[in-house]
Amino acid sequence: MRDDDDAAPGQGYEGEEEEEEPQQQQHKKQSNTLTLWGNMKTMNLNSLLLTNIQSSTYFKVQLYELKTYHEVIDEIYYKVNHLEPWEKGSRKTAGQTGMCGGVRGVGTGGIVSTAYCVLYKLFTLRLTRKQLMGLINHTDSPYIRALGFMYVRYVLPPADLWSWFESYLEDPEVSDQS
């Protein structure tokens, strides 16, 4: 038998858990500020892809004009129709083999896709947790949701990925069939 007076206030005996602490943690709100991971300038993108995004007229002119999260959401809804890094048919892959010859690779450039330009634009806005949740739970377009998940993949700490993706793994929504 133990004497509760022997333990210092706020400390339990070895192997015991305090009852108040977990309850307090459950009621704690998560910060609305996301912890970003990796390179804060490149968004962890491949250098060829990033160079093409930053030099594209679409990014420098049309997306530059968009200043709010909601404007970018509308842009995704109206302009994004696939999730590949390069616009379809814009890359020359004849004679290439291995990773450089695949449709999804970044071994050679092409015209960077609208999706990746918008993804980088979202990064420049430094989304909040609430905004990111708004993207991945959006009901108007699977591309809005997919870009939210791509944002998670590229900029959040790897240790956090499972907590963001887990409840969506069996999601029946179809986005890109290419």
Side-chain angles (χ1 to χ4, degrees):
M1 198 173 236
R2 68 178 179 88
D3 183 4
D4 286 337
D5 294 333
D6 292 341
Q11 294 179 347
Y13 286 89
E14 189 174 334
E16 288 185 332
E17 292 184 25
E18 294 266 337
E19 288 183 28
E20 274 183 56
E21 220 171 291
Q23 290 173 353
Q24 289 172 353
Q25 288 175 355
Q26 289 173 358
H27 297 292
K28 248 186 194 178
K29 282 188 174 181
Q30 286 185 319
S31 169
N32 199 29
T33 304
L34 292 169
T35 301
L36 302 182
W37 174 83
N39 191 312
M40 295 300 114
K41 292 181 183 176
T42 69
M43 195 184 108
N44 305 312
L45 290 170
N46 170 281
S47 59
L48 178 62
L49 188 57
L50 181 63
T51 299
N52 277 271
I53 290 169
Q54 292 172 333
S55 63
S56 76
T57 303
Y58 176 63
F59 182 77
K60 292 191 303 188
V61 178
Q62 285 105 327
L63 290 181
Y64 179 79
E65 296 295 319
L66 305 180
K67 302 297 182 197
T68 70
Y69 165 80
H70 294 289
E71 289 174 323
V72 178
I73 297 294
D74 288 345
E75 186 74 6
I76 297 168
Y77 182 82
Y78 290 110
K79 301 285 173 98
V80 174
N81 57 20
H82 71 88
L83 300 171
E84 300 289 336
W86 307 106
E87 288 299 336
K88 294 177 182 182
S90 71
R91 295 181 59 227
K92 294 181 181 6
T93 58
Q96 295 179 350
T97 58
M99 291 294 285
C100 293
V103 251
R104 296 179 189 267
V106 291
T108 61
I111 299 170
V112 70
S113 73
T114 301
Y116 271 77
C117 287
V118 172
L119 179 63
Y120 191 71
K121 176 65 180 185
L122 289 168
F123 177 70
T124 66
L125 294 176
R126 297 297 196 255
L127 298 180
T128 64
R129 181 177 306 279
K130 182 178 177 182
Q131 290 171 330
L132 185 52
M133 290 301 296
L135 281 174
I136 65 178
N137 290 317
H138 209 283
T139 57
D140 291 348
S141 166
Y143 297 111
I144 295 171
R145 296 184 69 208
L147 282 167
F149 286 117
M150 290 170 66
Y151 188 89
V152 169
R153 164 60 183 87
Y154 277 101
V155 303
L156 297 186
D160 295 349
L161 296 182
W162 181 251
S163 65
W164 282 93
F165 291 140
E166 181 180 18
S167 61
Y168 299 94
L169 290 179
E170 295 184 25
D171 190 329
E173 182 93 48
V174 175
S175 60
D176 190 3
Q177 296 299 311
S178 57

